[in-house]
Amino acid sequence: MSTAVYTPLSNGASNRPELHGSFDSIRIAPPSIEEDAPGGGGPADDDDGADGAKPPSISDEGLRKEIGLLSASSIIVGQVVGSGIFSTPASVALLCGTPSMALILWALSGVFSLGGALASAELGTMFPQNGGMIRYLAHSYRRPRALVATIMAYSVTFFCRPAAIAANVAIFAQYFFFAAGRQEFIESKDYLLRGIGAVTMTAMMALNIVSVRWSLRMLNFFALVKMATLAVVSVSGFLLMVGAIERSSGTNWSRGFHGTRVDAQSFASAMTRLFWSWEGWSNVGYVVGEVRNVKRNLPLSLGLAMTTLGVMYVLANVAYFSVIPLEDIDNGTLLAAQFMDKLFGKTVGQVILPICIGLSILGVVMSELFGGGRLMYTAGKTGFIPYGAVLGEIHPRFGTPVYAMVIIWALSLIFLFAPPPGRAFDLLVDLVQEGMWYFYALTAFGVILLRRRLPNYPLRRYRSSLILAFMFGALSLALGVLQFYPPATVPGKKDPGVPYYLAPMLGVIFMALCAIPWYLRMWRYVNKTGIQLLAWIDDEEQHVLRMNRTADADPVS
């Protein structure tokens, strides 16, 4: 039987595939080592495409490089900052027992998350094409037949990402109804909220399809709203810290660490909430093939965004607990709303803040849609999912992966309307988190493995801290395992009504089931057709190494 080599889809006009016959024998050139070449995103391409300064260059994948430093940072902020920082500090402080310990854990989790983000930046400069962790895991764990990357591809594209979009788009309207004083819609109109979410998501997806530039501008707008809201809180925290604003007579800081809880349950539950408040920086890796001057803008955007958010998160906690005594925390109310009520009055706390949080959640949805379409596109184009010619098709006018984005939209609609109200939908929200811990851990460890296997890889233009990468990977792995440990109870929180181990158990079962399409695709299909679906992994690496050897042997004068 003859053996064909699979390489990902080419999007050039002269190479456009027909939509019949085999979908898996289509070629694309591996990434060029010359990043300063036309279309490579060199120094001349530093302008942000969303600013309309110049026509975008074209990537090797046929996508327009319209993402500059500002938009890359907005994609990160758009995914990281949702509603968590406005509510999570309350439960974290109650789990820790004292705001002082909570503040330390916020800072530590921020440092470790920065380590994970910069590890991802190193991998993104090495493999500067769309796909993020799917591509990184394929290069890091090639045997057996890219099992890890395949499980990640199916888990994230068919479940985690569309379910996350559904979970977020279903709740954003609650904040606008709350601001309008119509709480009855929040309590009894579940499917109305979902319908509003569906219409909004459809409009956002349409914008994502027809215009990358306007999508990026929308992401920039949402990021501005998030940063402005955070700035009000964090600047208040700084002013409270230096005494420019009089603090309340509470005992939060005077108690120091007296009363700190040191049991493993409380620590694990607090760290889980903390790390999910930082989650989302990986989203820029899914669109790295569209980032201008990757070797500069990817590490810089991740470093700047995560460091800035880290400072603002810590100052926000200082602000919250300088105004609200720990004993007065109401877990039925957003901590930020309590803070705004006391400092600025009810109009700010109960009208303006909910609107800003609603817009913040919309920013998360926009970012998830933007990255989710590229995830599906890459999963099909690289051969993990069948029908790569369809999923990897780039619209000739819009320059976007239309079919991949439509599938993500359709899956999100299913997750939005399929679960009945109540515990089933709440369980869906919990399931979104499960499994990602393991992929984050394996990605961080992949940096260490690739340093050993490819020590002098020419496209590694940025080196992250291996110590921070290892610590982030170890913590992520530990948090994944600790999901099976009984969580600590948070005063004032309702009983979820389902066993604590159900969500992580279902997450592991789902990942295990992903081994079925892996076997059918990577073993049965390959053995039957002779098409080597994973040959592109070695081709990408060897192409870059050969180009480097050629450049060294024949230097340009």
Side-chain angles (χ1 to χ4, degrees):
M1 178 174 60
S2 62
T3 300
V5 176
Y6 175 91
T7 48
L9 173 67
S10 172
N11 296 297
S14 61
N15 239 353
R16 187 173 303 280
E18 297 180 11
L19 300 185
H20 56 79
S22 173
F23 289 96
D24 296 316
S25 56
I26 305 159
R27 296 182 174 274
I28 186 174
S32 171
I33 191 174
E34 298 296 335
E35 290 189 6
D36 296 340
D45 292 326
D46 287 347
D47 295 326
D48 198 308
D51 296 336
K54 59 191 295 186
S57 54
I58 304 298
S59 72
D60 293 324
E61 299 173 274
L63 295 162
R64 300 169 185 168
K65 283 181 169 284
E66 300 212 44
I67 303 175
L69 179 60
L70 173 62
S71 291
S73 301
S74 296
I75 290 170
I76 299 163
V77 172
Q79 188 79 15
V80 173
V81 182
S83 61
I85 186 57
F86 305 110
S87 59
T88 301
S91 57
V92 171
L94 291 171
L95 286 166
C96 292
T98 59
S100 298
M101 177 54 71
L103 203 62
I104 290 175
L105 292 185
W106 273 100
L108 284 175
S109 63
V111 171
F112 293 142
S113 296
L114 176 63
L118 295 181
S120 176
E122 176 175 332
L123 295 172
T125 60
M126 291 177 67
F127 310 109
Q129 290 179 299
N130 281 358
M133 286 195 290
I134 292 178
R135 192 175 294 273
Y136 309 155
L137 292 172
H139 284 280
S140 301
Y141 308 96
R142 296 190 296 178
R143 295 185 180 87
R145 299 197 182 185
L147 172 63
V148 174
T150 306
I151 291 176
M152 197 268 181
Y154 280 90
S155 296
V156 176
T157 56
F158 287 102
F159 181 74
C160 291
R161 180 51 61 101
I165 294 170
N168 281 306
V169 82
I171 65 170
F172 88 92
Q174 294 181 9
Y175 292 92
F176 292 98
F177 282 124
F178 183 88
R182 303 300 299 271
Q183 283 86 344
E184 68 272 16
F185 285 95
I186 301 174
E187 298 168 358
S188 61
K189 305 291 185 181
D190 182 85
Y191 280 102
L192 172 64
L193 296 175
R194 298 195 204 190
I196 294 172
V199 172
T200 304
M201 179 179 67
T202 301
M204 285 184 163
M205 179 56 74
L207 180 61
N208 270 290
I209 288 174
V210 302
S211 177
V212 173
R213 181 161 297 184
W214 277 101
S215 298
L216 293 174
R217 287 172 177 165
M218 185 67 74
L219 283 167
N220 292 344
F221 165 74
F222 285 129
L224 179 63
V225 172
K226 295 168 187 274
M227 297 301 285
T229 308
L230 261 179
V232 171
V233 178
S234 58
V235 169
S236 300
F238 176 77
L239 294 175
L240 286 160
M241 190 168 57
V242 299
I245 299 178
E246 186 178 355
R247 301 189 212 178
S248 68
S249 58
T251 59
N252 284 339
W253 306 119
S254 60
R255 77 176 75 196
F257 296 97
H258 181 69
T260 297
R261 299 171 67 173
V262 293
D263 58 289
Q265 280 181 304
S266 299
F267 177 78
S269 298
M271 291 303 287
T272 299
R273 287 166 170 79
L274 285 166
F275 270 87
W276 276 114
S277 294
W278 295 105
E279 198 274 337
W281 44 261
S282 60
N283 202 48
V284 74
Y286 302 141
V287 300
V288 72
E290 298 167 67
V291 175
R292 297 172 180 264
N293 195 4
V294 173
K295 64 183 180 184
R296 169 186 177 270
N297 287 337
L298 183 61
L300 194 57
S301 62
L302 282 163
L304 284 175
M306 295 298 287
T307 302
T308 302
L309 289 176
V311 173
M312 297 179 84
Y313 276 17
V314 169
L315 288 175
N317 276 268
V318 171
Y320 293 147
F321 297 112
S322 294
V323 173
I324 305 170
L326 194 62
E327 296 79 9
D328 293 345
I329 289 178
D330 177 8
N331 256 319
T333 305
L334 281 176
L335 182 62
Q338 288 183 266
F339 170 79
M340 292 290 193
D341 279 355
K342 283 198 171 187
L343 207 61
F344 301 109
K346 289 190 178 295
T347 300
V348 175
Q350 298 185 19
V351 178
I352 297 176
L353 179 65
I355 291 173
C356 291
I357 295 176
L359 291 172
S360 180
I361 296 172
L362 279 180
V364 174
V365 174
M366 187 71 177
S367 184
E368 288 173 333
L369 288 170
F370 191 87
R374 273 70 178 176
L375 264 175
M376 182 67 73
Y377 156 82
T378 300
K381 190 174 71 71
T382 50
F384 291 112
I385 296 175
Y387 302 103
V390 175
L391 295 174
E393 179 77 5
I394 300 298
H395 194 280
R397 178 181 175 186
F398 303 140
T400 55
V402 175
Y403 299 114
M405 299 178 81
V406 168
I407 291 175
I408 284 290
W409 167 80
L411 289 170
S412 300
L413 280 180
I414 293 173
F415 281 110
L416 180 60
F417 287 106
R423 292 177 181 175
F425 195 83
D426 293 340
L427 180 62
L428 172 66
V429 175
D430 292 336
L431 276 171
V432 170
Q433 303 176 2
E434 306 305 332
M436 290 305 297
W437 294 121
Y438 307 111
F439 298 130
Y440 280 130
L442 290 170
T443 300
F445 294 146
V447 174
I448 301 172
L449 294 175
L450 289 172
R451 287 275 188 97
R452 290 176 58 87
R453 188 167 68 81
L454 300 171
N456 300 310
Y457 196 69
L459 290 186
R460 185 188 281 114
R461 306 295 177 86
Y462 170 79
R463 288 178 177 265
S464 60
S465 167
L466 292 185
I467 295 175
L468 282 179
F470 176 80
M471 295 182 71
F472 173 78
L475 273 172
S476 297
L477 187 60
L479 289 173
V481 174
L482 286 172
Q483 300 306 299
F484 294 94
Y485 193 72
T489 56
V490 180
K493 287 287 187 182
K494 294 187 298 183
D495 184 354
V498 294
Y500 67 88
Y501 54 81
L502 183 59
M505 183 179 69
L506 291 176
V508 170
I509 290 174
F510 183 83
M511 287 191 296
L513 291 175
C514 290
I516 296 174
W518 168 74
Y519 167 75
L520 295 174
R521 185 73 174 154
M522 300 301 172
W523 288 89
R524 187 172 178 178
Y525 177 82
V526 168
N527 293 340
K528 180 179 179 180
T529 64
I531 296 174
Q532 301 302 308
L533 293 175
L534 301 174
W536 63 270
I537 300 173
D538 191 60
D539 286 349
E540 282 188 356
E541 297 174 5
Q542 294 305 316
H543 175 78
V544 171
L545 293 171
R546 283 195 301 270
M547 288 190 65
N548 187 54
R549 287 193 293 267
T550 302
D552 290 341
D554 186 23
V556 179
S557 58

